[in-house]
Amino acid sequence: SAVISQKPSRDICQRGTSLTIQCQVDSQVTMMFWYRQQPGQSLTLIATANQGSEATYESGFVIDKFPISRPNLTFSTLTVSNMSPEDSSIYLCSVEEGPGGYFGPGTRLLVL
Amino acid sequence: ELKVEQNPLFLSMQEGKNYTIYCNYSTTSDRLYWYRQDPGKSLESLFVLLSNGAVKQEGRLMASLDTKARLSTLHITAAVHDLSATYFCAVEPGGSNYKLTFGKGTLLTVNP
């Protein structure tokens, strides 16, 4: 199994600012994924982050808005840039280890 | 574009009753997953279904997959209050490398 931690667990931010979310895994993994869960909604994949290469973004998500770093096999960051209230969501990282993968506890973001 | 539809989205049931949640998807899939999410918590993997006719059971929950009908079901037997949660199905299209498309989720409330 993999244990995933995220920082911060929650934050309240002003529009126009940026927030960087950290995801730490207790084992080395090849692929890490970032998802967004808007209030009362399902999860939507933002991007896939592989160590040593650029992140791959899904339709509707762009690097300028959600830059991602993956400096090593246990860590990744997602930045939510130039935030607006529409960015208020839960952001979760996930790894593919094991059946169904593992999800972090999420970062609850509220943009005012 | 892959679509994953769950129904019902809301389910309120009495303890001891049986019910089924349905998950339809629109394209060929390698794998289908069921997850549980408790309020304010992250996702917990319940089942991974890999082939047509696959059936998996854990306690009062049983999941099945019909790839020809592109349908998975999550059957709840003799529900208990502890099963109250949101249940998501997610589909991993063939060759997508763990990129999951989620259904909207079913909010299950089991009343004593």
Side-chain angles (χ1 to χ4, degrees):
Chain A
S1 66
V3 177
I4 303 173
S5 60
Q6 286 185 233
K7 290 182 181 179
S9 59
R10 59 180 68 237
D11 207 341
I12 300 174
C13 300
Q14 297 297 318
R15 69 173 65 207
T17 63
S18 298
L19 176 72
T20 295
I21 301 167
Q22 300 179 6
C23 178
Q24 179 77 52
V25 188
D26 68 343
S27 58
Q28 293 184 342
V29 296
T30 303
M31 300 171 76
M32 296 177 75
F33 304 90
W34 287 97
Y35 287 86
R36 179 174 73 182
Q37 186 176 22
Q38 293 177 301
Q41 300 296 316
S42 187
L43 282 79
T44 302
L45 179 64
I46 298 172
T48 304
N50 292 335
Q51 194 263 337
S53 63
E54 292 286 328
T56 303
Y57 289 83
E58 298 301 306
S59 176
F61 298 97
V62 294
I63 187 171
D64 290 346
K65 176 66 174 177
F66 297 102
I68 287 172
S69 77
R70 183 78 199 274
N72 57 53
L73 292 174
T74 63
F75 187 78
S76 178
T77 67
L78 169 75
T79 298
V80 186
S81 303
N82 188 25
M83 287 184 285
S84 67
E86 291 72 32
D87 294 319
S88 297
S89 293
I90 300 173
Y91 292 86
L92 301 101
C93 65
S94 169
V95 302
E96 86 281 11
E97 297 298 306
Y102 295 91
F103 286 79
T107 295
R108 285 156 178 78
L109 171 61
L110 176 62
V111 183
L112 302 177
Chain B
E1 178 188 349
L2 171 59
K3 294 186 186 301
V4 181
E5 294 185 357
Q6 269 183 254
N7 68 84
L9 299 183
F10 301 94
L11 177 56
S12 179
M13 53 192 299
Q14 296 294 318
E15 282 191 329
K17 298 294 187 182
N18 305 331
Y19 210 83
T20 300
I21 300 170
Y22 297 88
C23 175
N24 288 91
Y25 55 96
S26 63
T27 192
T28 305
S29 168
D30 276 354
R31 307 181 189 192
L32 189 135
Y33 303 84
W34 284 96
Y35 295 89
R36 168 179 173 148
Q37 186 178 39
D38 291 293
K41 306 285 182 147
S42 190
L43 278 76
E44 172 192 357
S45 176
L46 295 174
F47 301 109
V48 181
L49 302 169
L50 301 178
S51 61
N52 187 42
V55 177
K56 292 198 173 178
Q57 183 164 5
E58 180 74 29
R60 301 175 187 273
L61 301 177
M62 182 175 70
S64 65
L65 178 62
D66 181 344
T67 58
K68 293 180 181 178
R70 296 178 182 169
L71 170 69
S72 180
T73 61
L74 181 66
H75 187 72
I76 304 154
T77 302
V80 293
H81 180 68
D82 286 351
L83 290 179
S84 297
T86 299
Y87 293 86
F88 292 96
C89 66
V91 172
E92 179 186 340
S96 70
N97 285 335
Y98 303 101
K99 294 181 180 180
L100 303 180
T101 300
F102 283 78
K104 291 187 175 181
T106 297
L107 176 57
L108 171 65
T109 304
V110 181
N111 303 303

